[in-house]
Amino acid sequence: MPKQLYKMSPLFQFLFAVSILLAQSGTAQINVSGDKDFSLVYDIHVNSSNKNPGMEETYNGSTKTILHQKGHTRIRMVSFMRIQNIYIYETEQELKKVIITKESGKNLYKYVLTASDWKLYNARYDNIGYTYYKDTISILGLNCKKAILNINNGKQQITAYYTESIRAFPKSIEPMFAGLPGLVLRYEMKTKNGSIKYTANKISFEQLESSIFTEPVKGFTVKQYKPHAR
């Protein structure tokens, strides 16, 4: 009987690469915002304490996907009611512009943000307090440590689990987690009516089509970004 050849899945390839790096050095980290193509998918689960669930329930079962190719990043949010994308364009680690689009329904629109606009957009993450814990869990076969993020002087808290095997995204991509010593694979934030939890279900280094990062133009109305509009 001929031998069967098995192709390693992207996740298995990734975990194998992690094990090799960690065997070589206890401080080695995979850089997911470097030259290699990379994608990370989160499942979104909404837990509502409201007897009459509102708009937040439409986000239950949604996904958040981060796609990266050298100099380009796309964050895609897909829910039952809405599709939104954030396109981040950088050159030699310098942020050039950010495009935020609403790509569902009849009226398509986008905001074009400069580097200073993007800084204002994420201003509430400028002074985050991080508290670290010894608690650990396994996500996608990776050991993850717990941290509590205190935002806006503790008015909002986020519980995050990060792996030190993978370097965190830079502030230009994920400003909320840029101060953590690793990539966040699960996080949960409280809302007025419950909580929203994001859990990673897929990591891949498969090559991505460059067209994924092309700024959408046709059919979009360009709106002016105003810091107070968020």
Side-chain angles (χ1 to χ4, degrees), residues 59-70:
Y59 289 91
N60 212 4
S62 305
T63 58
K64 172 185 175 181
T65 304
I66 302 178
L67 304 157
H68 176 81
Q69 193 174 75
K70 187 178 181 181

Side-chain angles (χ1 to χ4, degrees), residues 37-52:
D37 290 9
F38 174 79
S39 58
L40 170 63
V41 182
Y42 294 96
D43 287 331
I44 302 174
H45 177 73
V46 177
N47 182 21
S48 178
S49 58
N50 195 335
K51 293 182 179 179
N52 299 305

Side-chain angles (χ1 to χ4, degrees), residues 1 7 19 25 45 71 92 134 139 173 184 192 199 212 219:
M1 182 180 293
K7 183 179 179 181
S19 65
S25 170
H45 177 73
E92 296 179 355
K134 295 181 179 180
I139 303 173
I173 298 176
V184 171
K192 292 181 180 179
T199 304
I212 290 174

Side-chain angles (χ1 to χ4, degrees), residues 170-194:
K171 192 171 184 178
S172 58
I173 298 176
E174 285 278 75
M176 181 167 53
F177 302 131
L180 290 171
L183 186 69
V184 171
L185 296 184
R186 177 185 293 177
Y187 62 102
E188 183 173 0
M189 56 185 70
K190 301 296 181 181
T191 66
K192 292 181 180 179
N193 298 318

Side-chain angles (χ1 to χ4, degrees), residues 71-110:
H72 303 85
T73 303
R74 177 176 172 180
I75 303 174
R76 180 173 173 81
M77 298 281 293
V78 179
S79 69
F80 178 72
M81 297 287 292
R82 188 181 183 92
I83 298 175
Q84 177 177 304
N85 281 278
I86 300 177
Y87 299 81
I88 302 169
Y89 300 103
E90 298 176 292
T91 303
E92 296 179 355
Q93 297 184 343
E94 180 183 353
L95 182 63
K96 293 300 182 181
K97 67 175 180 180
V98 175
I99 310 295
I100 301 176
T101 68
K102 179 254 187 184
E103 301 184 18
S104 52
K106 294 181 179 179
N107 300 317
L108 308 182
Y109 58 81
K110 66 179 180 179

